[in-house]
Amino acid sequence: MTDSDPGFSALIGAPAPEAKDGEARLEVDVDERHLNPAGTVHGGMLATLVDTTMGAAVRSAADGEAAATSQLSVTYLRPGKPGRLVVTAEVRKRGENLTVCEADVAQDGKSLVHALATFALLGD
């Protein structure tokens, strides 16, 4: 799969993130399909968005190496509602085999989620 082939992201209605030089950004409009029974954006949707956006950021800095999430920590700060979400991600530390990346999800200028992940770089 490539960044131009959104795969699972297409299933949830999210475009592929834009990524360059270890940074990525994704904007997606969420609606009632993305809500939990409480009427807020489902936590799994938010986790998917940060994982997808961080993966794009890591791949943009990985010199052609594939990357796989090996650890993901998601902190939910406030509930999301239907509307536009903005996800940003940035590689914080690149090692020989592991890369650390952080991401945030915002809605209407307020933080909904902060995430930290470790990605394994999968060489030849």
Side-chain angles (χ1 to χ4, degrees):
M1 175 163 327
T2 66
D3 287 332
S4 62
D5 176 15
F8 183 71
S9 294
L11 184 64
I12 61 170
E18 296 177 11
K20 183 179 179 184
D21 300 327
E23 295 184 2
R25 180 181 175 93
L26 170 66
E27 292 188 25
V28 62
D29 292 316
V30 295
D31 57 39
E32 54 279 340
R33 296 173 298 160
H34 305 110
L35 305 182
N36 61 27
T40 62
V41 179
H42 194 285
M45 174 71 172
L46 295 166
T48 295
L49 293 174
V50 293
D51 185 43
T52 299
T53 306
M54 287 189 286
V58 169
R59 284 189 305 278
S60 76
D63 301 324
E65 292 179 275
T69 309
S70 63
Q71 178 274 329
L72 173 63
S73 174
V74 181
T75 302
Y76 300 96
L77 303 169
R78 66 173 36 91
K81 60 185 187 242
R84 170 81 34 121
L85 299 178
V86 178
V87 188
T88 55
E90 184 176 353
V91 170
R92 295 294 183 194
K93 179 71 175 167
R94 175 155 191 238
E96 186 175 329
N97 299 306
L98 298 174
T99 297
V100 175
C101 191
E102 286 189 78
D104 293 287
V105 179
Q107 187 174 51
D108 300 328
K110 296 181 180 176
S111 294
L112 303 182
V113 170
H114 180 77
L116 177 67
T118 303
F119 287 80
L121 300 177
L122 309 173
D124 296 0

